[in-house]
Amino acid sequence: MSEKIEILVLPGDGIGAEIVAVAEQVMIQVADREGLSLAVDHAMVGGGAIDAHGTPLPEETLEKARNARALLLGAVGGPKWDDLATLERPERGLLGLRSELELFANLRPALLFAPLATASSLKEELVTGLDILIVRELTGGIYFGEPRGVRIVDNERVGINSYVYKEHEIDRIARVAFELAQKRGGRLCSVDKANVLEVTQLWREVVTEVGRDYPDVELSHMYVDNAGMQLVRAPKQFDVLVTGNLFGDILSDVAAMLTGSLGMLPSASLAGDGRGLFEPVHGSAPDLAGRDLANPLATILSVAMMFRYSLDAPKGADAIETAVDRVLDAGYRTADIIVATEPELRLVGTREMGDLIAAELEAKP
Ligand code: IPM
Ligand code: MG
């Protein structure tokens, strides 16, 4: 077998452990099929790491993460840590990984699996065949801009965050988005608020300049408020969307709901050299934790993205996506995607859904 590929698994908090356990099993199964030899290690991040080590991103975790080709992450956060200061919260563990590993390109595909058309909050005809890709800048913008904080000015508290983008940050995310658009439908919509915010005027300028290198891609621009509206009005007009960190955070949750459930949306966060962190778009859902209720499909589909983008094994990715489609087509649903008016559907838990995917992968080599 070829050289071992280092994978770091970070279950995190809430439902993280359950969904990652199931997805890890699929990852190992598909790696075997593809003849890839993985060296899988585990580490702590988020609230659990705060409890055990006093920090959401322990040095040991960061060290292991730096050595890994790919990271599989569940989710971080929960009510237990809600009262901590912003820079001490579980979420900082995730943001720290993104920024330390320079995972600047966040790919969030919103793809409707045909059997789920009736689970969407939109009318079936609006979402049937939906296949859009949100490319979110992940290591800059208002999430990381300085100055930040809450301070006393003239005897009152003033909260400050800074929305900052440097030219090179816009340039590199734009290139990722144009290249993905070239491989898909050839259309890219850049989302900004250039009518109000100077930083996004620069965004629009740089994206337009980069676009000259991709004459085969049709570039358009849209204000973020309109983009939110268009996503729920006529989502199929989009192919690839590219936007900054905060707008991408919001629009990707909206896009997720179009596909039936937040429980279906995977993501890849990539560095320039193809290393990546793969995680579901949804959070840690503390109310569902430990109850075998959570939908593991977003995490399983994140493993598919790992095979496609970091492990250079697109066939493994296709196999996982096909297995998910078949299991849904056979009528199996977790609680978040079941439709009460369709009695033929079968409600399953987290583990059973994982077993069904594993069996499907076994059956159709
Ligand atoms: C996401 C999440 C994170 C973000 C949180 C958990 C910090 O909402 O990945 O979309 O805001 O980026
Ligand atoms: Mg989010």
Side-chain angles (χ1 to χ4, degrees), residues 108 136 143 248-250 252-253 281:
R108 298 189 161 185
R136 168 187 177 195
Y143 270 53
D249 179 46
I250 299 166
S252 59
D253 269 27
V281 168

Side-chain angles (χ1 to χ4, degrees), residues 209-222:
E209 287 157 20
V210 170
R212 298 194 187 113
D213 291 343
Y214 302 88
D216 50 335
V217 175
E218 186 193 310
L219 172 66
S220 60
H221 303 272
M222 199 180 271

